[in-house]
Amino acid sequence: MARPGSRPGSHPRRRSPGVRRPHQSVQYVHLSRLFLDQLGRTPAQFVRTARAEAAAQLLASTALPMASVARRCGFSSAETMRQVFLDHYGTTPSHHRTVHSTLQVAPTAPSLPSADQRCRHSRGR
């Protein structure tokens, strides 16, 4: 009798023991154990760290608003990013940006007088 979904006359493929098909899932508990054994942390901790590191990089290299940085890094809000940042780095995102920013602030040029100021100046002569 043919297996459901197989073509008539086809032979079942032989697979090595332990090789999973792409549609087979790993149980979360098993995945968590693998993470703990191999990386020393849970999948959730791994993701939080990756998000915090991505946010730190964006904060240091862009002038994006906090909410945009939070969204781009997968945080549900800027407040959640702030809490994770405090846990991970011991500082706030805004302080991190101030200390680590690679953005060069252009010196401000002296402002030119407005048209109104020029007119008043020329009338006074």
Side-chain angles (χ1 to χ4, degrees):
M1 179 175 208
R3 291 183 326 201
S6 66
R7 293 182 307 198
S10 67
H11 297 289
R13 295 183 186 187
R14 293 188 179 126
R15 296 195 182 270
S16 302
V19 174
R20 294 185 177 271
R21 293 181 181 152
H23 67 274
Q24 291 177 317
S25 63
V26 175
Q27 294 292 322
Y28 181 78
V29 173
H30 181 66
L31 180 65
S32 293
R33 285 187 192 131
L34 289 173
F35 261 76
L36 282 171
D37 290 346
Q38 299 298 314
L39 302 174
R41 52 189 158 177
T42 66
Q45 290 168 330
F46 181 85
V47 169
R48 285 173 63 108
T49 298
R51 288 177 176 169
E53 290 171 356
Q57 193 275 329
L58 280 177
L59 289 167
S61 63
T62 70
L64 290 170
M66 294 294 168
S68 295
V69 172
R71 253 191 328 275
R72 285 185 179 204
C73 295
F75 292 107
S76 58
S77 67
E79 178 57 26
T80 302
M81 179 178 75
R82 190 185 75 76
Q83 291 169 355
V84 170
F85 224 82
L86 278 170
D87 290 345
H88 190 74
Y89 291 106
T91 188
T92 63
S94 57
H95 184 258
H96 181 85
R97 174 176 270 168
T98 301
V99 172
H100 298 283
S101 180
T102 58
L103 298 175
Q104 297 294 323
V105 178
T108 56
S111 61
L112 297 174
S114 67
D116 189 45
Q117 290 171 332
R118 286 192 304 263
C119 289
R120 275 187 270 150
H121 179 70
S122 63
R123 278 187 248 147
R125 286 190 204 189

